[in-house]
Amino acid sequence: MTFSKSWKTGEVQLPGYDKERYVQVTAKDAVTGKNFTVYLKNISENKNGIVGTEVDKNGSFVKDNLFDGRKHIILKGAILKQQEVRLNQRYGELEVPCQTRGEAIVPEKEETAPQSTSEITEISLNIATKPMNINKNDYSNLFIKINNLTLSVRTLNCLINGIRLTYIGELAQKTDFELMKIRNFGRKCLREVKIILSEHGLQLGLIVPDFDTLRYEYEHMQSIDDIEDNSKEDKIDRKSYLNLFSKVSELRLSCRSLNCMENTKIVYVGDLVTKTEYELLKIKNMGRKSVCEMKSKLSFMGLHLGMNLPEWSQKNVEEEIKLLSDELEMHRKNNAQMFLPDIMHADFLEEELIHFVEMFSKEKNIPIIKSFLGFDGKGKKTLESTGEEFDITRERVRQITERFLKNINQSGIIKNIYLPICKNIEKYIMNRLPADADMIEMELIEKGFTKTNFNLEGILEPIKILGGKQLFNIIKHGRKRLAIRSGEIKNANLIIHLSKKLISRYGITNVAEIIEQVFQKTGRTLTDKYVISILLLYKDFHWLDESKGWFWITTKRNRVLNIIKKILSVCESINIHELRAGIGKSYRMGCFIPTTSVLLELCKQIPWCRVVGNMITANPPIKVENALGNNELTMYQILKEQGPLMATGDFETACLDFGLPRSSFYQYLSYEPILNRYTSGVYGLRGANISPGLAESIAPIKKRESSVSDYGWTKEGNIWIIRKLSPSAIHSAAVGIPTALSQYLQESFMLKSVDGTNFGNLQIKHNYASGIYSFLKRSGCEAGDCLALNFYLAKKEVVAYIGGEEIRDDFIAKM
């Protein structure tokens, strides 16, 4: 049985043949020169050529450590008739390369029935290399330098540094096997070389007769041309000449290219253009992509690599730049205008900022930069939030934005960039300051500056980036934002701080108080209008009397509201004047008491207060348990049960019985707003309904008693004081100190009794000696007894005595 076989370009057609058949390939080994025979099965066609699996004579697969454990043979390209095959074996693969692609038909053979289960077909292939016919008048394509070919860095290094090739003609005379023996030279490099050779009408394995002679003639002619070329200097126009003084960092190159330039000390464009492409490729980490990038930038500037500029290396560049400083500045400004047409024709701020970012960033990074810097109108964001938005790390966001800002600073045209819409918005804002930021943003839409609501922080960023002076700033309080002049930030923050402090202390305040405190701290007098614009930042700001500047801010804790709540809890209703008196009694309010009209307006604005005329009522009623503290509640219950009015002594006794400390009792008596003194020595609840004459009827009758007995000095230089104790002195545990002795008796003394018992410290302040309560209680003194105090100034001690009037005679005897 016979069947025809035909070989075509890039494919194999074997009619009547399937994968189960075996094919015997006989070829000549290029190394040994001997015939080499392999048996193949599963022959197919792919991008590498004709592929088959090697088997032995018995039909078993030949084992190999690579691939699937089987040894594969690749027949490269189409097989031509009457040509010799040279075998290259690498990585366990047998390659049968062919030098030319075309069509050939293998004569038909008769196929005999196989004697075994496998059918063997033998094909003998012979591929030979033909000498190349060279026209001696046109052999320049053989002498194209390897380093001028568009090859990868790996391939160039292998050819130039590995086997020292110079011209493409030398490369064409090499075989596949010779190239594959080069270190680091792989299949990808081989394909690349073949493509380059085919582009120049050449192929591997050529035989070029008298190549050395041709090379000598070519190099001789080239040296003559080089001498003529070197005598000719590249002529460039004035604009291109000025570009030579631009720094390489201003070209906005990639990080890799810039690093290579820095490592090789290439600073100016003039230094770069004197380098050839081959010289640049020899730089460490410099690839062909980086070189192409530089060539593109230089062509835009009217320059190219390998320029002959003899005078450049001889000139002092720094001095030349100083001489041409004005011209170079104008040149940079003109270059900047080349980038600005899109910016100048933008209709809205959003478009202007996009064009600005496009000047200094890659297209894929524009959304990231816009979002982070707030150029999208949503305000500046954090690295974290921007990274989450674009599903990248915050470090990557930082790198992208840092690169963008670095490109701007290195461009050299930053001073010449003008953002007209941004500048017009800045002027408009300055005329409105101080003002609410949200209101200004709405006005920008109405004026046609922006398409949508644009956050003012996004306008501040381009001003900062371009090195402009920031004329305004945004301060925030809660959700409120205020635009103010940059120089007034400290004053604005001080106003906010003082208003918080005054509201926290008093519950209400006025503008005049804030202005006065700002003046005391800074020496600057502010206007009412400016202070009010800052105060309006507060969401819960309310006027009480706008003409006089009184206001309050609703907060969770408000001192004046707490006092009003306490007073209204002990009485059903109260007159506004008496309510004001109760507020003024609280020592926490100090002398800061609102006027009657302001207090009345405050009550009207309080949700739980009902105002009828001058009468204030709680609505709903306030429970005393929710408004009063423990001690206040005790005093309230005593007055409710034993009142409504009580004499001071009776009231004190009742409170002490309930466990209220004496010191606390008198403090509450003096400063508690729910207590009111109806007459001397008579107290009751504020707002209580008191019958006429009731207070006078229970008022105690006072008899004035002399409290000072005598004082003097002992022979040892100590001071003694004798005081006749009154009931009030015993209750308060304090006695007066004569004014004449105040300069000698200051601070504190150790209090002791005659038997040496220590009673703590005796404190002297404002001509009163306190801290004798323990001594008086233990000594069992009564009203009318005499207290003698003997002060030992050197020891800072005082010895106390209790006795009758005869004690005075004892001290006089010691004088």
Side-chain angles (χ1 to χ4, degrees), residues 473-477 480-484 489 492-493 496 534 537:
N473 212 324
I474 309 296
I475 60 174
K476 298 180 181 179
H477 180 76
K480 281 280 189 176
R481 297 158 54 238
L482 181 70
I484 61 171
I489 295 178
N493 289 331
I496 293 174
I534 303 297
L537 277 174

Side-chain angles (χ1 to χ4, degrees), residues 135 137-145 168 218:
N135 183 359
N137 296 325
D138 185 16
Y139 53 80
S140 59
N141 63 330
L142 291 176
F143 296 101
I144 299 173
K145 288 191 175 183
I168 192 173
Y218 174 79

Side-chain angles (χ1 to χ4, degrees), residues 421-436 440 443-444 449 456 459-460 463 469-474 483-488 529-530:
I421 298 178
C422 188
K423 285 292 183 181
N424 291 336
I425 291 176
E426 186 181 26
K427 292 178 182 178
Y428 178 81
I429 294 173
M430 292 302 297
N431 294 329
R432 291 276 288 107
L433 298 182
D436 184 84
I440 293 179
E443 293 174 1
L444 293 180
F449 290 120
L456 293 188
I459 299 173
L460 291 173
I463 296 174
K469 186 177 180 181
Q470 188 173 328
L471 301 179
F472 71 95
N473 212 324
I474 309 296
I484 61 171
R485 297 180 185 274
S486 297
E488 297 176 350
K529 181 181 178 181
Y530 179 77

